[in-house]
Amino acid sequence: MINTKTLSRRALVTGVTLAAAAPALAATSAATGTTSIAKLWAEAQALGSQLATHRSAITAAASNGGIPGWMRLGGEANRIAEARYGKLIQILNTPAKTAGDLAILGKVSQDEDILSGARSWASERLASAATSLAA
């Protein structure tokens, strides 16, 4: 069961942090594709595109709920999805340098695979990155 009170507080803290960081983020260069996070995001996107051929198998495997469907599969689908998930975790572990990085961190923290597992940790990483850029 999900504790909606806790999730609401986390969402509020993240929102307040992002609002406080807005002036600093506006002054930061939003260059995309040049930072470590942007490069990792491009790699994750490419791996996500490769998963398109396995989408129906992943969806069918996820019907039992709990964990992402690709974790229940073997072979190529699991290999690609595991590599993509690894890229998402690398993104969350990489310090944000620009507003573009922060936007990518926001997308990663809302990714279906992250929401299925490391949701709280991802939200904390996003809030920490926003605070660091605001400083």
Side-chain angles (χ1 to χ4, degrees), residues 51 54 58 69-84:
L51 282 175
H54 303 284
I58 291 170
W70 61 266
M71 289 183 172
R72 298 174 193 259
L73 299 175
E76 184 182 40
N78 181 274
R79 182 188 58 75
I80 295 168
E82 184 72 34
R84 181 182 175 277

Side-chain angles (χ1 to χ4, degrees), residues 46-120:
L47 290 165
S49 294
Q50 292 177 24
L51 282 175
T53 59
H54 303 284
R55 196 56 58 197
S56 61
I58 291 170
T59 301
S63 63
N64 294 335
I67 63 172
W70 61 266
M71 289 183 172
R72 298 174 193 259
L73 299 175
E76 184 182 40
N78 181 274
R79 182 188 58 75
I80 295 168
E82 184 72 34
R84 181 182 175 277
Y85 186 76
K87 296 290 181 190
L88 298 178
I89 297 301
Q90 280 183 294
I91 289 168
L92 291 168
N93 281 322
T94 303
K97 303 284 186 201
T98 67
D101 285 351
L102 193 59
I104 292 169
L105 284 168
K107 291 176 186 176
V108 170
S109 71
Q110 295 301 304
D111 184 90
E112 183 178 326
D113 288 339
I114 297 298
L115 291 174
S116 296
R119 170 193 348 227
S120 297

